[in-house]
Amino acid sequence: MIVNMLFFAGEDRSAMKHEIIKPSQRKRYEFIEFQLMWGGTIGRKLLKDKFEISLQQATLDLTSYLDLAPKNMSYDPRQRTYVARTSFRPVFIKGEAKEYLHHLEMLHYGYRDADEIWPASIPAFDAVAASSRNTDPKTLKAVLRAIRDRHCLEVMYVSLSSESERPRCLYPHAIASDGHRWHMRAYDEDNDRHSDFVLSRVETIKAKEDSARDLPEDKEWSTIVDIRLRPDPSLGERQRRRLEIEYNMKGGELEINVRQAMVFYYLRFYGFNPHETQDGMIRNVSSFSLNIVNLKEIEECIGRRS
């Protein structure tokens, strides 16, 4: 077997050099490291069963991985398996907690079955799962085609802020999720502006295939905004420091680069209520004990409509 070269240079991971490793083999190396990182052991049967390969191939994978990263594992004849060494440092995965938790989320939300996720032993766990909004597949298909062909959609849309019963002529150019529901970002011909329309609130939809036209630029979609957050100044030093670590803040701030059209949704995600105002601006109080540093700039980006 020809093993693609990967070199350690002392303890410097950045000095490790990957040369062409087949994607399928790289995925198995990632799985090996995942098990070493979170379970402390990896055996050929687990590798064989997960990727439906032969025991011989599993043995070759483990042997070649050991050649590439000799400091990461050693064979324990008593357990008849490979165990992580104290010098273990991941090469093919990042070794972040979110890599492990992502597998539990996929299982919880039904995107994967228990035998498809990587943790060898699944702990008792639970997670909040927001009720998914029911979007008609025909609606999504029509929106995707209109984006591709730059056509207008004649839509009967149920707005919670308007009693209008007239069909709307919408030109969608993107779709976006606010974390709970999917929208189409579209130019509203009647109101001469770009807005978000919840896909699950579309009652009827019809393509007008001869309606392509030049549209004004959606500046809110193309403009990138920096949301700067910091721990609430009223917190004690210990609590502020913990939040800085929790959100991986730099210089006491978390800077998030987002589309202007998505600012409203990001603020809600971080515990703010953009509908609550104080002195003409968003009330700078988050349920997660965060504070907006550039409040005036963010208020201007929200673009409130009367």
Side-chain angles (χ1 to χ4, degrees), residues 143-303:
V143 170
L144 294 176
R145 288 173 182 168
I147 292 173
R148 181 193 64 197
D149 299 332
R150 302 185 66 191
H151 288 155
C152 174
L153 294 174
E154 189 175 86
V155 174
M156 288 299 296
Y157 183 78
V158 179
S159 171
L160 300 188
S161 60
S162 171
E163 296 293 335
S164 175
E165 297 289 339
R166 295 186 300 108
R168 299 178 186 235
C169 185
L170 306 179
Y171 289 84
H173 68 82
I175 58 175
S177 171
D178 63 5
H180 294 284
R181 57 196 183 178
W182 281 89
H183 305 74
M184 62 169 143
R185 183 73 182 173
Y187 173 70
D188 182 348
E189 189 171 63
D190 292 336
N191 292 305
D192 188 26
R193 68 189 183 200
H194 290 87
S195 300
D196 298 338
F197 299 88
V198 182
L199 293 180
S200 58
R201 293 183 185 163
V202 173
E203 285 190 326
T204 63
I205 189 166
K206 181 175 67 175
K208 298 175 66 176
E209 297 184 357
D210 60 345
S211 59
R213 54 163 287 191
D214 291 330
L215 300 174
E217 179 188 359
D218 186 352
K219 293 184 179 180
E220 290 183 1
W221 180 263
S222 58
T223 300
I224 302 301
V225 174
D226 295 331
I227 301 177
R228 293 166 52 205
L229 304 177
R230 66 183 175 188
D232 189 324
S234 66
L235 294 173
E237 176 61 27
R238 183 183 180 190
Q239 287 77 18
R240 288 202 302 272
R241 180 57 185 154
R242 176 44 50 186
L243 281 181
E244 289 174 8
I245 295 172
E246 183 176 326
Y247 287 97
N248 194 27
M249 295 184 179
K250 308 299 181 184
E253 291 187 7
L254 171 64
E255 186 173 298
I256 315 159
N257 309 121
V258 305
R259 297 181 186 276
Q260 183 178 346
M262 300 290 288
V263 167
F264 186 94
Y265 307 129
Y266 271 90
L267 291 175
R268 291 200 306 194
F269 181 82
Y270 282 96
F272 296 93
N273 183 352
H275 292 298
E276 288 188 4
T277 59
Q278 183 176 9
D279 299 327
M281 291 192 289
I282 178 176
R283 186 166 174 261
N284 203 353
V285 176
S286 162
S287 57
F288 301 140
S289 298
L290 297 171
N291 187 262
I292 303 171
V293 177
N294 54 335
L295 180 62
K296 184 176 180 180
E297 177 187 354
I298 294 304
E299 174 61 36
E300 292 174 353
C301 289
I302 293 175

Side-chain angles (χ1 to χ4, degrees), residues 95-151:
E96 298 176 348
K98 62 183 178 183
E99 290 177 317
Y100 181 93
L101 299 175
H102 181 59
H103 285 270
L104 299 186
E105 289 174 345
M106 289 193 294
L107 175 62
H108 184 72
Y109 298 136
Y111 299 128
R112 296 288 187 276
D113 292 329
D115 60 351
E116 294 177 309
I117 64 173
W118 282 11
S121 177
I122 302 173
F125 78 98
D126 202 348
V128 174
S131 178
S132 60
R133 309 299 175 96
N134 185 29
T135 298
D136 190 329
K138 294 179 181 178
T139 297
L140 180 57
K141 286 170 63 176
V143 170
L144 294 176
R145 288 173 182 168
I147 292 173
R148 181 193 64 197
D149 299 332
R150 302 185 66 191
H151 288 155

